[in-house]
Amino acid sequence: MMASRNLGAAIAACGLMIVLPGFLSPFWLTQIAIQSLCLGMVAASLSFLMRYSGQLSLAQTSVAGVASYALAYLGPNDVNLGPGWSMVAAVPAAFVISILYSGAVGTLAARTRGVNCLMITLAIGMSVFYLARQNYSIFGGFRGISIGHPQLLGLAFNDGIPFYYLCLAIVIVSCVLVAYLEETPLGLALRAVGSSPERTEADGYSVGVLKVVAAMLAGALASCGGILLLWYHARISPGAIGVSSIIGTLIVAVLGGIQRPINAFLGAFLYVLLDNYAIDLAGSERFQTLVGSIFLAVVVLSPNGVAGLLVWPRDGTKALARVKHCRCAARKERIGGPSSIGQ
Amino acid sequence: MNQLALVFLNGITLASLYFLVATGFSLTFGLMRTVNLAHGSFYLLGGYVGYTVSEQTGSWVLGALGGGAAAALGSLLLHQLLLARYDGQTLRQALASIAVSTIVADQMLAAWGAETYQIEPPPQLDWTIVLSPIGGYSFLRVSTLLLAVVAAILLWLLLVRTRLGMMIRAGVDDSSIVRALGVPILSVFAFAAALAGAMAGIAGVVCGSVLSLAPGDDTHFLLMSLIVVIIGGVGRLSGAAIGALLVGLLEQFGLAYLPTYSVVLTFALMVAVLAIRPDGIRGSRGVA
């Protein structure tokens, strides 16, 4: 029953997203909707890793950045860098490069969990940022690489309704694939790694390999986001992979609720709304303070993010029932005295 | 002056600063198992406050004390108000500290603007020392190394010779057992947090006098602290010293000889250490 309800909700959400451009002003379509979809993809890859390998990786922004940089460098760009391949060749090549990079990061982080993983992936992500900023021959240095208006078959597509549908199609296909993965033996094994690597290891699975596989799958999601973001902004610069972007991706994932990749799109929507309306809201330029405070509030108040707040009543009653149950058990144990300890 | 020697000396100066910042980060990480990602912010906060105080009073020493005190207070407040509350939930602590670093960085930008600051160094130290084979070198930079060495010796004495240091070392090894033995571990945590903040803050003032201070330095020093800890091992004084030395030298040699790829050197070192010794060069057990 749960599955059919989820399916119904998913189809309703897809339907809503498909008819959405009919109701949106151009500003909302480009500034809010498209940007939410792109940022959501990158943040979804972070939640994906959290769910399927139990690692909080802060390198996902740099994976998206590597995809953007690879495409900008290999494909047509405005700054005469790279071989200038056509889009048809450059897009798959960019994918391969960023997924390999993601796998390499996953290999380095595979032996770690929790804060150690967070520390290593943050160090890797920040190093890529400093490299991109200081290197001119590949990364275009401080100014990055500008690609002009990307064209396919002579048509610019990084604008308006066609680009929205491109992003939406990629998001929907990714979500369907992730939902499908959940049902496969590989998906189950990855879920097991995410919830308890030790027990999965004891069951004979090779946790290290599974973590690298999860990293590469997450890398594919982040690369989609990175490529879409490159087309959206028509350029990539180090700022897009700097610390504030790394933290931004984390905030998007945590705002939405980090336990499910799809929540990231809710988080991205809220983040983009804030980004656009914070100046009216805070009456100043202190956007980062506002975002940081909201992030802090979410971390302090609701570990499950905004999506956690939405489902709170149901989980709350469950948790309450569990507390009652524990209390009853404890009372019984006290009454039973020392004899019941062995049970 | 011989370029090789100059690069080497600059690397040592930088390593001294990294050591001062990263040691506190490493010790609190080893002790409380929490990554304080706002550590770089306290470095920059200390530097800014030190600048303002020394401008107002005209005294570098007061500036250094003020910067150290401000950063210690910030670090202590963060620990007592936020991190101590989520004791044991390490990821939540890390996320909370990231949020605080975002807020503090933005507030510092509001207060001190986007300019680059340089603190007037104490005149007694601001002269050129003649090192016979290589020529003249700023004594200010040499004294940075001296400061790091003195700090290392004092820390070592604190950790090895005092009762408090014993508690800290025991806490790094196994804080739950130490707690069970009745040691007031929460006070030890608070002391360590304040000490880490103070060292970062003083390093900020020193760096502001020897080099400069600018927005973005907080994340740079955070990254270097992370790499020093990854390379040297968590919670170890000697690991922090080795890590800082390697990172500082590599960064300067990279900037001199491979200017557009210098980060790759540090990165490659980190990858090599992770591949060969995942717990860092000095392992994960014990301090000092």
Side-chain angles (χ1 to χ4, degrees):
Chain A
M1 188 216 135
M2 192 69 188
S4 67
R5 201 171 67 189
N6 279 350
L7 189 67
I11 291 175
C14 282
L16 180 69
M17 295 301 286
I18 288 169
V19 298
L20 202 56
F23 304 98
L24 294 181
S25 68
F27 170 80
W28 268 75
L29 187 74
T30 7
Q31 284 295 318
I32 311 281
I34 293 179
Q35 226 186 335
S36 304
L37 290 173
C38 298
L39 285 177
M41 278 301 274
V42 182
S45 81
L46 194 151
S47 316
F48 180 93
L49 264 184
M50 193 70 194
R51 185 174 173 82
Y52 293 104
S53 79
Q55 293 176 309
L56 183 55
S57 164
L58 294 185
Q60 293 313 111
T61 311
S62 76
V63 174
V66 166
S68 304
Y69 269 113
L71 179 58
Y73 178 78
L74 294 172
N77 58 49
D78 281 358
V79 287
N80 291 324
L81 272 178
W85 292 351
S86 76
M87 205 70 100
V88 186
V91 170
F95 252 103
V96 170
I97 291 171
S98 61
I99 289 174
L100 285 179
Y101 166 73
S102 182
V105 175
T107 312
L108 282 177
R111 279 186 280 191
T112 61
R113 281 196 85 185
V115 278
N116 285 345
C117 177
L118 183 131
M119 177 173 74
I120 288 170
T121 50
L122 179 61
I124 293 173
M126 286 167 83
S127 299
V128 173
F129 159 71
Y130 281 109
L131 176 64
R133 204 178 60 173
Q134 71 174 197
N135 183 281
Y136 283 83
S137 52
I138 296 176
F139 293 92
F142 193 73
R143 295 171 59 183
I145 306 175
S146 157
I147 59 164
H149 281 286
Q151 292 191 331
L152 200 64
L153 308 173
L155 292 168
F157 62 88
N158 67 334
D159 210 15
I161 292 174
F163 190 57
Y164 172 79
Y165 279 117
L166 176 69
C167 296
L168 185 62
I170 290 174
V171 166
I172 290 177
V173 168
S174 311
C175 288
V176 169
L177 285 178
V178 170
Y180 170 73
L181 175 75
E182 181 97 45
E183 308 296 326
T184 62
L186 174 67
L188 286 173
L190 290 173
R191 281 280 286 138
V193 174
S195 45
S196 175
E198 293 83 10
R199 273 151 73 181
T200 318
E201 184 94 62
D203 280 346
Y205 288 93
S206 171
V207 169
V209 173
L210 285 172
K211 280 186 173 175
V212 176
V213 170
M216 291 173 92
L217 291 173
L221 291 178
S223 308
C224 289
I227 288 172
L228 290 176
L229 277 171
L230 173 71
W231 284 336
Y232 174 73
H233 292 295
R235 65 190 296 249
I236 174 79
S237 60
I241 56 172
V243 176
S244 54
S245 300
I246 293 175
I247 296 176
T249 306
L250 179 68
I251 291 175
V252 166
V254 172
L255 268 185
I258 205 161
Q259 65 283 75
R260 280 190 170 273
I262 197 156
N263 292 348
F265 295 100
L266 173 65
F269 175 65
L270 295 174
Y271 184 81
V272 173
L273 270 188
L274 262 183
D275 193 5
N276 279 282
Y277 291 101
I279 295 175
D280 305 336
L281 208 68
S284 70
E285 296 163 5
R286 303 265 72 86
F287 170 63
Q288 292 292 340
T289 300
L290 183 70
V291 169
S293 310
I294 290 173
F295 181 50
L296 187 60
V298 169
V299 170
V300 168
L301 297 175
S302 163
N304 295 335
V306 173
L309 289 178
L310 293 180
V311 296
W312 184 76
R314 214 172 50 207
D315 282 7
T317 45
K318 257 192 218 163
L320 205 64
R322 218 178 299 139
V323 169
K324 277 182 185 160
H325 176 77
C326 289
R327 274 195 197 144
C328 286
R331 203 175 301 140
K332 272 180 203 154
E333 198 167 292
R334 262 205 310 275
I335 296 166
S339 64
S340 62
I341 285 175
Q343 286 172 5
Chain B
M1 187 181 197
N2 186 340
Q3 199 200 358
L4 196 69
L6 186 67
V7 170
F8 179 78
L9 286 174
N10 284 344
I12 299 274
T13 308
L14 205 56
S16 312
L17 291 169
Y18 289 163
F19 173 77
L20 289 174
V21 178
T23 312
F25 179 76
S26 176
L27 273 183
T28 51
F29 185 13
L31 195 59
M32 302 174 230
R33 298 277 121 202
T34 176
V35 186
N36 177 9
L37 294 172
H39 194 66
S41 313
F42 298 130
Y43 155 82
L44 194 56
L45 178 70
Y48 279 148
V49 171
Y51 170 80
T52 306
V53 171
S54 67
E55 281 291 292
Q56 297 294 325
T57 61
S59 157
W60 187 88
V61 176
L62 281 182
L65 289 177
L73 186 67
S75 182
L76 186 65
L77 280 178
L78 170 68
H79 179 261
Q80 292 302 97
L81 296 181
L82 216 51
L83 303 186
R85 187 179 291 202
Y86 303 118
D87 190 28
Q89 305 176 42
T90 49
L91 270 181
R92 208 173 184 185
Q93 291 171 320
L95 295 188
S97 69
I98 292 184
V100 169
S101 79
T102 315
I103 298 169
V104 172
D106 201 42
Q107 288 303 316
M108 289 192 298
L109 195 63
W112 280 280
E115 301 109 87
T116 302
Y117 288 98
Q118 175 115 53
I119 301 172
E120 188 72 35
Q124 300 90 319
L125 299 178
D126 200 10
W127 48 281
T128 307
I129 186 171
V130 179
L131 302 164
S132 52
I134 49 173
Y137 193 69
S138 157
F139 184 71
L140 200 59
R141 294 188 169 210
V142 178
S143 45
T144 308
L145 172 65
L146 294 178
L147 176 69
V149 171
V150 169
I153 292 172
L154 287 178
L155 260 181
W156 185 80
L157 287 175
L158 170 75
L159 286 171
V160 179
R161 292 270 181 258
T162 67
R163 196 173 160 74
L164 181 64
M166 212 192 306
M167 290 181 202
I168 294 179
R169 280 186 295 143
V172 170
D173 276 345
D174 194 333
S175 66
S176 48
I177 292 286
V178 174
R179 192 185 307 229
L181 288 172
V183 171
I185 194 85
L186 291 179
S187 315
V188 177
F189 283 1
F191 171 78
L195 180 68
M199 285 180 69
I202 290 173
V205 180
V206 173
C207 187
S209 318
V210 178
L211 304 166
S212 63
L213 293 170
D217 285 357
D218 48 349
T219 55
H220 180 79
F221 270 78
L222 173 65
L223 173 65
M224 290 311 158
S225 304
L226 292 172
I227 295 182
V228 164
V229 168
I230 292 170
I231 290 176
V234 176
R236 302 203 56 157
L237 200 55
S238 55
I242 294 171
L245 205 56
L246 285 173
V247 171
L249 285 174
L250 267 186
E251 187 177 326
Q252 282 302 314
F253 275 100
L255 280 175
Y257 296 104
L258 281 173
T260 65
Y261 290 95
S262 68
V263 178
V264 177
L265 289 179
T266 323
F267 187 71
L269 175 68
M270 185 173 80
V271 169
V273 170
L274 277 176
I276 300 165
R277 291 186 66 99
D279 287 333
I281 291 175
R282 297 289 290 141
S284 60
R285 295 287 119 200
V287 198

